Amino acid sequence: MLLTGQRARRRGLDDLLEDTPADDEVAVMARRIARNLTVRRRLRVRRGDRGGGRTVPMPYRYRSDDIDIDRTVEVLAERPRPDDTEIVVRERVQARRAVVLVVDVSGSMRGEKARIAAATIAALSADLTGAGADDQIALVAFWSDAALLKPFDARLPVGRIVDRLLRIPARGLTNVSFGLEVARSELARSPLRRRSIVLLSDAVHNAGPDPRITAARCGELHVMLETDGEHDAPLAADLARTGRGRLAHVATHRDVAPALNRLLAD
């Protein structure tokens, strides 16, 4: 879905994407990163829609050894010889998380910029939706306008998401505020309590209103500042601060996984 900052005009992605990526070598490199890159996972236990690290009683599933004595005694009163899974234990439940990744595509998606974007998509996908995780992830690309490349309810493999990003033609101006507004709109569609926006940009804002105003309405906004070229570190710091989030610097795609681990740490 393509949106414009002047009016909330919506068109299909086919109106935007080029037939092939601009640089085949970069596309191959990006897909390889997307296949191979993983993040150091946060401790994952049974996940629920509510709670933030609270413990709840549940049947034993070979994870926790913290037995809930009172509830287990109740089970024993009815079944003196219960199965292992009828023993009641206390396990820690983490709240599910919804994340919108907002990628700055102003200029050309080539070289290290393309690799950083591919690595970020791959790392978030691996952490939020891989290996049984059931978090939500969406992707917004922005320049002076913006495109919703992957909404929450679309199930797309990482390679296809990266391919969509790389097929966006070169763009000029950078409207950080509008990119964040589109992300806020998609984030509002999620029913989950833990909701975050991750902005990947050099923060060289040169179109649209002051993005600090939008950042203050984002709830939780983390900023990954690309420092491999021209960048605006003070603005990036302001966006993270007003968005009640964290700031991380990335110069190459190898910096992405450690940066995300810091930004999304519980």
Side-chain angles (χ1 to χ4, degrees):
M1 183 183 298
L2 173 63
L3 304 100
T4 67
Q6 291 74 29
R7 297 187 178 186
R9 186 161 55 95
R10 299 167 180 243
R11 302 201 306 258
L13 284 177
D14 291 341
D15 296 328
L16 169 67
L17 303 181
E18 293 180 331
D19 291 337
T20 58
D23 188 325
D24 288 339
E25 183 178 353
V26 169
V28 171
M29 171 67 76
R31 292 190 188 99
R32 185 162 66 246
I33 293 169
R35 286 195 305 269
N36 297 333
L37 189 145
T38 58
V39 296
R40 174 179 56 78
R41 290 186 176 277
R42 300 183 299 276
L43 176 64
R44 289 197 180 277
V45 295
R46 175 166 172 161
R47 307 172 66 84
D49 287 335
R50 292 187 173 274
R54 62 191 175 93
T55 58
V56 296
M58 59 184 61
Y60 180 54
R61 292 294 184 266
Y62 305 98
R63 288 186 292 256
S64 174
D65 58 2
D66 183 10
I67 297 177
D68 188 323
I69 300 296
D70 292 337
R71 292 176 183 265
T72 299
V73 168
E74 293 175 3
V75 173
L76 290 174
E78 298 181 6
R79 293 180 292 279
R81 301 179 64 181
D83 294 334
D84 290 348
T85 55
E86 292 177 321
I87 297 173
V88 180
V89 296
R90 286 186 289 265
E91 289 193 10
R92 192 164 296 279
V93 175
Q94 293 177 333
R96 294 168 60 200
R97 167 175 262 159
V99 176
V100 181
L101 174 61
V102 186
V103 180
D104 182 351
V105 297
S106 57
S108 178
M109 288 298 293
R110 295 177 180 269
E112 196 59 32
K113 184 174 182 178
R115 297 184 183 97
I116 290 172
T120 305
I121 293 169
L124 274 176
S125 296
D127 192 42
L128 297 176
T129 62
D134 53 1
D135 296 310
Q136 295 182 325
I137 182 172
L139 173 64
V140 172
F142 76 96
W143 53 101
S144 57
D145 298 324
L148 180 59
L149 297 184
K150 183 200 174 298
F152 283 132
D153 54 7
R155 297 192 175 277
L156 298 174
V158 172
R160 187 174 175 189
I161 301 172
V162 172
D163 183 67
R164 283 187 175 184
L165 190 71
L166 293 177
R167 287 171 57 198
I168 296 178
R171 300 285 174 169
L173 298 178
T174 307
N175 188 341
V176 177
S177 180
F178 187 62
L180 294 179
E181 287 288 2
V182 174
R184 288 183 65 239
S185 177
E186 180 63 16
L187 200 62
R189 297 177 59 241
S190 173
L192 303 185
R193 294 178 61 192
R194 296 187 65 192
R195 298 186 290 183
S196 308
I197 296 173
V198 175
L199 172 66
L200 175 63
S201 175
D202 58 20
V204 181
H205 172 78
N206 51 27
D210 188 341
R212 298 174 184 84
I213 300 173
T214 308
R217 298 197 294 262
C218 283
E220 181 177 292
L221 170 64
H222 303 294
V223 180
M224 294 178 61
L225 177 64
E226 295 178 290
T227 60
D228 58 320
E230 181 185 4
H231 58 279
D232 189 337
L235 177 58
D238 284 349
L239 293 176
R241 178 178 53 79
T242 58
R244 295 164 292 279
R246 301 182 177 112
L247 171 67
H249 295 74
V250 291
T252 76
H253 66 273
R254 295 178 180 86
D255 301 329
V256 166
L260 284 173
N261 282 324
R262 292 196 303 272
L263 297 183
L264 300 180
D266 292 323

